[in-house]
Amino acid sequence: MSGESPSFLERHQFLIYRLFSLAGFVPVGAFLIVHLLTNASILAGDGGRTFQSRVDMIHSLGPLLVPVEWAFIFLPMIFHAVVGFVIIANGLPNVGSYPYVSNLRYTLQRATGMIAFAFIIWHIWQLHALGKPFGGGRFDAHEAASSTAAVLGSTAVSILYCIGILSAVFHFANGLWTLGITWGLWTSPAAMRRANVVSIAVGVVLAAAGLGAVAGFRSLPADSASHGHAASAVHETLPPSSP
Amino acid sequence: MAHERVLVVGGGLAGLAATMRLAELGIDVDLVSLVPVKRSHSVCAQGGINSVNALTRQQGDSEWKHFDDTVYGGDFLQHQPPVKEMADWGPKIIDLMDRLGVPFNRTSEGFRDQRRFGGTLYKRTAFAGATTGQQLLYALDEQVRRWEVEGKVRKWEFWDFLAPVLDETGRCRGAVCQDLVTMEFRSFPAGAVVLATGGNGLIYGRSTMSMVCTGSAVSRAYQAGAWYGNGEFIQVHPTAIPGADKLRLMSESARGEGGRVWVPRKPQDPRDPRSIPESERSYFLEERYPKYGNLVPRDIATREIFDICTTEGLSVEQDRLCVYLDLTHIPRETLDRKLGGILEIYEKFQGVDPRVTPMKIFPAVHYSMGGLWVDYERSATGGLVEGSFRNQQTSIPGLYAIGECDYQYHGANRLGANSLLSCIFSGLFVAPTLANACGSGSRAAGDESRLFDQEVRRQEERHRSLLARTAGVENPYGLHQELGTLMTRVATVVRRNDQLVPAYDEVCRMAERWTRCAVSDTGNWTNQNVVFTKALGDMFPIAKLILKGALLRDECRGAHFKPAFAMPGLKATDPVGRRQEAEQWCDTFEANTRRWLKSTIATCGPGGDPEISYQDVDTSLIPPRPRLYGLVGADAIEEVWKERSARATDHAGRAAQPAGAGA
Amino acid sequence: MMIRATDDAHAMTDAAGAQRGELVRVRILRQDVPSGESYWERFEVPYERNMNVISILQKIAAQARSQDGRKVAPVAWDCNCLEEVCGSCTMLINGRTRMACSALVDRLLAEDGDEIELRPMSKFPVVRDLVVDRRRLFRGLEKVEAWVPVEGSYDLGPGPRISPDEQEDAYPLSTCMSCGCCLEACPQYTKVEVVRREGESEKDFEARRKAAYDAAFVGAHAVSQAMLFNAHPTGRMIADERMKALTRQGGIQMCGNAQNCVAVCPKGIPLTRSIARAGRAATVWAIKRLFDR
């Protein structure tokens, strides 16, 4: 029940929800695409050289990297997450009573959002420099492939990464479709169906890239350095066929 | 004068139209309805709304012809000035509804499309898909909602009108109503009270009417002294879908769009209807009425369908009476575009696609032509004086009636697509009258509150005594079923005095049994049980006046058909004999007109028994003439009739003004 | 509203051939008063051919006895037209929101075992048994100003010319009967129940109730009506007002795209199309407002 005067959040609900929707696409979604495709470069078959060069490119920002990360990744993501939790808290999923595909997607959108959020926290703790004070932060920009491979060496971690990546990808691809409705890009049922095909395609490509990267890191020889020799095994363990 | 409120009872087309116009005139309105007004029975009207339009005008149509078709279709039983006024208002009412956003079907140029309905030769009917009533109602509902936001209208939804409150001079000062949720009683003092409470189909048990159409509000006004007019005229719609809980309407537009009614020539032919060859089908309406075909007026279509099933034994099914209504020759896209809504209803409730398989239909009680007697003030031109306090006023001063619950517009039989017009017209037209009525009667405030307190106490007492009746033996639902079955059997398509006499006694016994009805819910919160029992009790006085009116009216007129008094067609085949018979026929017709062209007026006597009297009908604009649809020898009769009317006109020495006005 | 027993030997239609003898079992979630305890009660009624849930409830009202023979108050429910145009008789039938009049018993038994379950709608406060208070639904129509703002009802000539395509686009939206199915099935539309406080005046209570309604999601039906009137040549003259309403708290942004509304709508109204159009209109409107101000 609302009080006498609506809160800031209530007064600007439309704007906040639209920014929330937008943030999911750019920059958060865009970052997801870049991130997954960058990681997928581990599949180049050169033992991580391409991957390392991409990482180097990112890190060439030097001292600017931290503000850029915060401005374009962390803050938008936190905003998206916080508003997302408010939305989830106010919804009442009912897929049991109304087992329609789009309703299932509604429920999954919320579930994958929460999973992806938890995963990202964990992922940041584990690999990002921010995790260092808490015993994580194991990614080494100079040894990008091998430091990542070391973390993903654990099967349990890899499985959790696969779940996390798939959640994030579903959340993004499905979110892309709903974003189009929210903003009014596709309005007719037929247009929604066409947009759906595109969203599914985007999802499949990103899922392939994400899972492929996990497989790629895992197939790097444990002792192979980022500047080291290509591992011939890479080709034999290309990503599992697309989900 | 504007600080007095108007109480509108009923939120269908008529009630909402009146409310909208009143609010516009600056009057504050209390709008009481049994259901949220958007759920009123008007939503069930499917086919359309009649009015002369640019197209028909160029084909020779005019307001006068619409008026003529209406009174001719109604067998001249309605006073003509109000009907003339309504027909004159037709075009502007359609324009208004168009402006309010009703999604009328369109021609390729973007003008309103029209279709043809029964009882006319012109395409006069504007329509919005197959839910015209719903669309019209919603447009008015939206405007009233707008006025509600403005604070001019206060809605009382889920409230039941219990009684008008009359002062010592007999003028209506307001009403007492009951909240159907909390069961509390409340007084509604008002400068004028207008009933717009619709028909009373539930007296017949199952009908095409909605569950609120019990006629209870009208009955309560009648029991308080208002006269009831033409009660015996009940329209039976020729085409309804038989169902266990309700007889669902199949709109006349199904025939308007080319639907054909037929039965197999072989009784109960077991073959799939689609495989029955044309030669073995009887398109009996087209055969008997070549001019109008499947679009004969409703009373005739009903009787023919009833007759072919009962007298001729050609019902499609063995154990259930029905005929085919066939649309399968019309392209699917046309059907979907023009009739989508009603065909979906058939499909939904019968599980059969009427685009592929002919529908099975049978007549059902549909509309109450009769209703509260209302007055009018005739203008010099033969229409009505707008704003006159007499317009739509019942015999109780200050109490008005509009829409289906008045007796004014449809005479002995209503033409299709005229009801929506009459509802909106009477609603709009009564508004200035009500505005004028506000503040017209002097009053003493102190006395008034005493009057209301008295009535509230009386209603509380009635309510309490009903709740206390738990030891009763009669089940109200069972009793209602009995009443419906009896009324349907004796007082619908065919009426016989030897059935009506015992039926009247039987209804009296039922009314007596009602006093022993037990309510199974004795609570005082949303008690639908006691509300229904109350409404049932109020059905008996109306059922009685319908039966008594039918019994006393020894003739055939419109929907009232007594085979014993039917005027058969001509038998002779030679010109001289035919001429002679035609002369006799016209003599009989004239005598019958003198005897029976009168409004039946019922007043409520002691014990709810009606006292019937008759009142002359104002037929000054269009002289009555025989309705000859499909009669054998119609040509000969018409010839004689024309000669006679010409003579009469000459004799009177006055120009046939009305006929001329239409040219 | 009114209830009535069915009549199995009707003089005019002579309904015969129903399979007699069999009983239909019904389980109804009852509640005597608002905010009261709810409880299940079982009933049995004789089966009839072509029976719907309305006929079951009519029979229950007539017999006023539960399955175990106890005398109980009849179940309260809303209905009126019985042909799915008035929007009264919405309830949860076998867990799904639908109209009781068009819910045929044969199909229900075929889809869900040997017992039919009836519950009141869960998104609206229960008044009694299956009767719920749907005033919030109508408040939504007020909020989006779902009407054509005509300048009075006097004769000012015909309405605007409208192409057949526009009419065919508008008509389905205009058949919305305010039944509330779209709201019941919507995971984003949650119950708002305002109870009158001790000593609160009727006026204050009304104001508080409306404010509470306005703060919550307006719902698919109202969004669709807003689009209907924004497409009408006269209606769109207050399009800005409607867009303001749709972008206020509880507006179009609350939609979660579950699309249940369109799946459960008994009239097959393209609600998601309306929602997407509202989304587009809101986008354009917000941007215009940003730069025009």
Side-chain angles (χ1 to χ4, degrees):
Chain A
M1 220 171 297
S2 75
E4 293 306 303
S5 55
S7 66
F8 178 84
L9 187 73
E10 287 164 344
R11 267 185 291 128
H12 299 285
Q13 199 183 43
F14 176 77
L15 181 69
I16 291 166
Y17 278 40
R18 278 299 174 92
L19 288 177
F20 156 81
S21 168
L22 183 68
F25 181 54
V26 272
V28 177
F31 168 71
L32 178 73
I33 295 174
V34 170
H35 190 39
L36 289 177
L37 293 181
T38 305
N39 292 349
S41 68
I42 195 68
L43 297 169
D46 53 8
R49 252 183 312 219
T50 313
F51 178 62
Q52 183 63 49
S53 69
R54 301 271 160 89
V55 170
D56 290 344
M57 210 162 76
I58 293 166
H59 282 261
S60 67
L61 284 170
L64 277 178
L65 185 61
V66 171
V68 165
E69 262 186 341
W70 277 98
F72 293 99
I73 304 171
F74 294 140
L75 287 178
M77 204 155 13
I78 289 167
F79 169 71
H80 187 79
V82 168
V83 177
F85 277 113
V86 171
I87 291 174
I88 293 171
N90 287 323
L92 213 68
N94 55 11
V95 77
S97 305
Y98 304 98
Y100 312 124
V101 174
S102 48
N103 196 28
L104 183 65
R105 287 167 65 164
Y106 167 92
T107 309
L108 283 177
Q109 182 71 358
R110 278 142 186 78
T112 55
M114 290 191 286
I115 293 170
F117 181 73
F119 167 71
I120 289 165
I121 301 275
W122 180 57
H123 172 59
I124 290 170
W125 166 78
Q126 196 163 47
L127 292 176
H128 195 274
L130 287 170
K132 281 217 172 94
F134 310 100
R138 290 165 62 188
F139 180 75
D140 180 347
H142 301 293
E143 298 291 335
S146 60
S147 59
T148 309
V151 170
L152 288 175
S154 151
T155 308
V157 169
S158 294
I159 290 172
L160 291 176
Y161 264 68
C162 288
I163 293 172
I165 290 165
L166 285 177
S167 295
V169 167
F170 176 88
H171 191 77
F172 174 69
N174 189 57
L176 198 61
W177 182 68
T178 59
L179 172 135
I181 302 171
T182 302
W183 290 77
L185 297 177
W186 29 87
T187 57
S188 73
M192 285 182 200
R193 273 193 300 276
R194 286 195 296 273
N196 199 23
V197 172
V198 174
S199 303
I200 289 171
V202 168
V204 168
V205 168
L206 290 182
L211 297 181
V214 172
F217 285 116
R218 278 175 67 79
S219 64
L220 280 180
D223 58 343
S224 124
S226 57
H227 296 291
H229 310 287
S232 58
V234 168
H235 288 288
E236 282 139 44
T237 49
L238 271 176
S241 54
S242 339
Chain B
M1 82 179 210
H3 50 260
E4 268 192 316
R5 303 177 73 87
V6 167
L7 175 63
V8 177
V9 183
L13 278 177
L16 291 179
T19 303
M20 174 182 72
R21 194 39 85 81
L22 279 165
E24 213 175 313
L25 293 171
I27 306 288
D28 291 320
V29 182
D30 287 306
L31 175 56
V32 167
S33 172
L34 283 171
V35 289
V37 293
K38 196 178 177 180
R39 313 202 189 287
S40 301
H41 177 61
S42 304
V43 294
C44 290
Q46 298 170 350
I49 176 164
N50 282 340
S51 140
V52 183
N53 53 68
L55 179 83
T56 63
R57 219 181 274 286
Q58 293 167 72
Q59 296 168 337
D61 195 15
S62 63
E63 280 83 354
W64 188 273
K65 283 200 173 158
H66 182 192
F67 163 44
D68 186 286
D69 279 341
T70 305
V71 291
Y72 182 61
D75 236 347
F76 296 90
L77 195 62
Q78 58 275 67
H79 293 292
Q80 293 181 353
V83 183
K84 178 181 182 295
E85 191 71 36
M86 174 178 82
D88 286 348
W89 273 59
K92 55 182 173 182
I93 284 176
I94 311 283
D95 279 353
L96 169 64
M97 299 316 291
D98 190 12
R99 276 174 55 226
L100 297 186
V102 173
F104 286 115
N105 280 46
R106 299 284 158 170
T107 64
S108 57
E109 270 181 88
F111 294 115
R112 290 186 303 256
D113 200 3
Q114 281 103 21
R115 58 162 62 122
R116 206 188 120 202
F117 246 59
T120 180
L121 298 169
Y122 298 103
K123 274 187 161 185
R124 229 178 244 154
T125 309
F127 60 103
T131 59
T132 311
Q134 184 193 42
Q135 298 307 313
L136 295 171
L137 183 85
Y138 288 2
L140 294 176
D141 172 62
E142 286 146 17
Q143 295 302 319
V144 168
R145 183 167 295 109
R146 206 176 148 205
W147 285 113
E148 195 186 4
V149 173
E150 298 275 313
K152 291 305 286 179
V153 175
R154 177 144 188 208
K155 278 188 199 150
W156 304 81
E157 293 172 329
F158 296 112
W159 280 71
D160 194 8
F161 168 87
L162 295 178
V165 173
L166 313 186
D167 64 18
E168 51 290 337
T169 68
R171 190 183 189 282
C172 179
R173 293 293 183 190
V176 170
C177 301
Q178 184 176 23
D179 185 334
L180 297 182
V181 174
T182 64
M183 311 311 282
E184 80 176 91
F185 297 86
R186 186 181 175 118
S187 303
F188 288 83
V193 177
V194 60
L195 296 184
T197 55
N200 52 30
L202 256 70
I203 292 175
Y204 286 82
R206 286 181 301 170
S207 71
T208 66
M209 289 193 214
S210 296
M211 294 299 109
V212 292
C213 302
T214 59
S216 60
V218 164
S219 177
R220 288 161 195 167
Y222 167 69
Q223 291 172 67
W227 302 346
Y228 198 100
N230 294 341
E232 66 270 31
F233 293 92
I234 299 285
Q235 183 167 76
V236 178
H237 194 285
T239 57
I241 313 163
D245 55 331
K246 182 182 186 189
L247 311 174
R248 296 180 176 87
L249 182 73
M250 178 44 60
S251 166
E252 191 164 313
S253 56
R255 285 176 291 135
E257 293 299 338
R260 303 178 74 189
V261 177
W262 63 278
V263 287
R265 292 197 188 277
K266 186 176 147 219
Q268 290 85 51
D269 195 327
R271 283 177 292 176
D272 181 327
R274 284 166 295 181
S275 68
I276 299 177
E278 286 286 313
S279 60
E280 292 176 46
R281 300 178 178 191
S282 168
Y283 292 95
F284 54 97
L285 289 177
E286 296 171 31
E287 287 156 18
R288 293 175 196 181
Y289 305 93
K291 191 172 171 193
Y292 286 85
N294 291 291
L295 284 174
V296 287
R298 292 184 169 175
D299 55 331
I300 294 176
T302 296
R303 219 144 46 227
E304 291 293 348
I305 295 170
F306 191 78
D307 192 56
I308 203 127
C309 291
T310 53
T311 319
E312 304 194 25
L314 287 177
S315 172
V316 166
E317 284 184 18
Q318 184 75 58
D319 54 6
R320 187 169 70 156
L321 301 180
C322 53
V323 300
Y324 287 125
L325 172 54
D326 198 339
L327 292 165
T328 59
H329 55 287
I330 301 170
R332 175 176 282 268
E333 308 79 68
T334 312
L335 292 177
D336 284 342
R337 199 177 68 248
K338 295 199 163 166
L339 298 171
I342 57 170
L343 300 186
E344 274 159 31
I345 289 181
Y346 190 87
E347 206 170 355
K348 205 157 231 171
F349 291 95
Q350 300 300 105
V352 176
D353 184 357
R355 299 167 194 86
V356 179
T357 311
M359 295 181 277
K360 292 176 185 169
I361 54 97
F362 198 69
V365 167
H366 182 52
Y367 191 88
S368 317
M369 268 80 69
L372 291 173
W373 175 90
V374 289
D375 199 1
Y376 62 88
E377 186 172 337
R378 192 182 197 279
S379 73
T381 55
L384 302 184
V385 177
E386 197 171 345
S388 162
F389 71 93
R390 285 170 59 193
N391 293 337
Q392 304 291 139
Q393 187 172 240
T394 67
S395 59
I396 298 174
L399 180 66
Y400 295 78
I402 52 175
E404 186 173 348
C405 77
D406 76 39
Y407 88 129
Q408 186 86 285
Y409 296 94
H410 306 294
N413 174 49
R414 176 176 67 80
L415 289 191
N418 254 358
S419 61
L420 298 180
L421 182 65
S422 66
C423 287
I424 298 174
F425 166 71
S426 56
L428 293 176
F429 197 76
V430 79
T433 295
L434 299 173
N436 292 342
C438 278
S440 63
S442 58
R443 57 180 56 199
D447 289 359
E448 192 164 271
S449 70
R450 193 175 43 81
L451 285 174
F452 282 101
D453 291 348
Q454 246 170 22
E455 188 57 40
V456 167
R457 268 198 303 280
R458 207 173 69 85
Q459 292 299 336
E460 278 172 347
E461 190 40 51
R462 185 185 189 211
H463 188 72
R464 252 199 307 277
S465 74
L466 272 173
L467 289 183
R469 266 206 232 147
T470 50
V473 287
E474 295 286 347
N475 183 322
Y477 303 97
L479 188 58
H480 176 231
Q481 186 175 314
E482 282 184 50
L483 174 68
T485 307
L486 175 71
M487 292 297 289
T488 306
R489 187 164 57 78
V490 305
T492 50
V493 184
V494 175
R495 283 121 187 238
R496 295 174 206 283
N497 290 349
D498 59 354
Q499 289 181 335
L500 290 166
V501 172
Y504 186 86
D505 295 339
E506 185 58 40
V507 168
C508 291
R509 275 194 295 278
M510 286 182 191
E512 207 274 317
R513 281 165 61 197
W514 176 82
T515 61
R516 294 192 299 276
C517 266
V519 294
S520 43
D521 185 350
T522 55
N524 232 347
W525 183 265
T526 321
N527 187 337
Q528 298 177 334
N529 193 232
V530 72
V531 172
F532 174 78
T533 306
K534 229 183 260 184
L536 173 66
D538 291 322
M539 286 183 201
F540 296 108
I542 304 293
K544 285 182 192 177
L545 73 85
I546 291 172
L547 292 175
K548 192 154 185 191
L551 174 64
L552 294 179
R553 187 175 279 275
D554 280 337
E555 66 154 352
C556 293
R557 187 176 298 278
H560 174 72
F561 180 68
K562 268 189 184 172
F565 298 89
M567 288 172 60
L570 310 186
K571 291 190 193 69
T573 46
D574 62 300
V576 179
R578 267 174 98 77
R579 173 80 197 184
Q580 210 168 15
E581 276 185 27
E583 291 280 1
Q584 277 165 12
W585 198 97
C586 289
D587 290 344
T588 318
F589 176 80
E590 284 180 337
N592 188 67
T593 301
R594 279 191 298 279
R595 171 72 188 86
W596 284 116
L597 184 52
K598 289 180 185 345
S599 307
T600 311
I601 306 293
T603 52
C604 190
D609 288 324
E611 282 154 17
I612 304 279
S613 60
Y614 295 92
Q615 202 179 60
D616 284 336
V617 178
D618 179 348
T619 58
S620 59
L621 301 171
I622 300 176
R625 60 182 190 272
R627 276 174 104 216
L628 298 168
Y629 298 104
L631 199 69
V632 179
D635 298 352
I637 297 172
E638 204 169 347
E639 199 183 299
V640 170
W641 186 259
K642 276 187 178 152
E643 288 169 20
R644 286 189 186 193
S645 345
R647 270 203 307 276
T649 320
D650 287 350
H651 273 293
R654 53 170 183 220
Q657 285 278 357
Chain C
M1 191 67 237
M2 288 298 152
I3 33 188
R4 181 174 60 84
T6 52
D7 159 4
D8 54 359
H10 197 276
M12 286 185 68
T13 54
D14 203 18
Q19 284 163 250
R20 312 229 119 252
E22 288 173 49
L23 292 173
V24 182
R25 303 197 319 135
V26 195
R27 172 170 86 242
I28 301 178
L29 187 63
R30 306 196 59 175
Q31 183 174 323
D32 298 338
V33 287
S35 320
E37 288 286 301
S38 59
Y39 55 95
W40 289 100
E41 207 148 65
R42 287 189 152 75
F43 297 90
E44 277 178 344
V45 296
Y47 172 85
E48 266 176 42
R49 191 180 62 166
N50 237 347
M51 197 178 195
N52 57 8
V53 168
I54 295 288
S55 5
I56 289 182
L57 289 165
Q58 287 175 334
K59 283 176 194 299
I60 289 173
Q63 68 195 34
R65 273 184 200 286
S66 66
Q67 186 189 29
D68 49 19
R70 273 178 310 119
K71 215 170 161 317
V72 295
V75 175
W77 88 100
D78 274 341
C79 72
N80 194 25
C81 77
L82 308 194
E83 50 193 64
E84 214 189 59
V85 280
C86 80
S88 293
C89 62
T90 321
M91 53 185 77
L92 297 180
I93 300 169
N94 285 354
R96 227 194 82 190
T97 179
R98 43 190 149 186
M99 310 311 293
C101 61
S102 56
L104 302 184
V105 167
D106 289 335
R107 284 186 208 156
L108 293 174
L109 293 177
E111 85 184 29
D112 219 9
D114 62 344
E115 193 175 51
I116 293 170
E117 181 198 278
L118 305 180
R119 280 187 285 145
M121 297 171 88
S122 65
K123 302 294 176 71
F124 297 97
V126 171
V127 174
R128 182 177 180 181
D129 295 339
L130 302 173
V131 179
V132 295
D133 173 2
R134 278 177 280 183
R135 276 178 296 182
R136 177 177 162 201
L137 186 159
F138 293 111
R139 175 65 189 167
L141 299 179
E142 291 179 3
K143 189 177 169 183
V144 302
E145 304 187 27
W147 50 69
V148 175
V150 291
E151 198 73 51
S153 65
Y154 286 90
D155 183 23
L156 299 172
R161 264 164 86 173
I162 287 173
S163 75
D165 284 350
E166 289 171 275
Q167 191 272 345
E168 276 164 39
D169 210 60
Y171 177 71
L173 307 190
S174 192
T175 59
C176 171
M177 57 186 178
S178 302
C179 63
C181 282
C182 58
L183 309 175
E184 175 63 31
C186 175
Q188 295 288 97
Y189 195 90
T190 49
K191 185 167 167 174
V192 173
E193 185 159 12
V194 186
V195 181
R196 193 162 167 178
R197 291 175 187 147
E198 198 81 29
E200 189 176 29
S201 78
E202 200 174 321
K203 212 176 142 201
D204 290 350
F205 173 57
E206 284 296 297
R208 198 163 57 85
R209 190 170 57 79
K210 284 186 176 169
Y213 290 166
D214 289 349
F217 184 29
V218 69
H221 75 300
V223 173
S224 188
Q225 290 300 301
M227 288 303 102
L228 168 66
F229 289 99
N230 274 7
H232 186 273
T234 318
R236 75 167 70 102
M237 291 176 186
I238 54 166
D240 272 5
E241 296 298 310
R242 294 196 196 94
M243 293 320 300
K244 247 182 243 168
L246 281 185
T247 52
R248 265 202 292 268
Q249 189 187 5
I252 177 76
Q253 68 276 7
M254 293 296 286
C255 171
N257 296 304
Q259 305 208 331
N260 289 350
C261 50
V262 76
V264 298
C265 176
K267 300 278 103 178
I269 298 168
L271 292 164
T272 46
R273 191 189 69 185
S274 291
I275 289 170
R277 284 180 179 177
R280 175 180 289 179
T283 305
V284 173
W285 185 76
I287 291 171
K288 262 175 68 180
R289 233 162 73 105
L290 196 64
F291 292 106
D292 286 358
R293 237 187 344 203

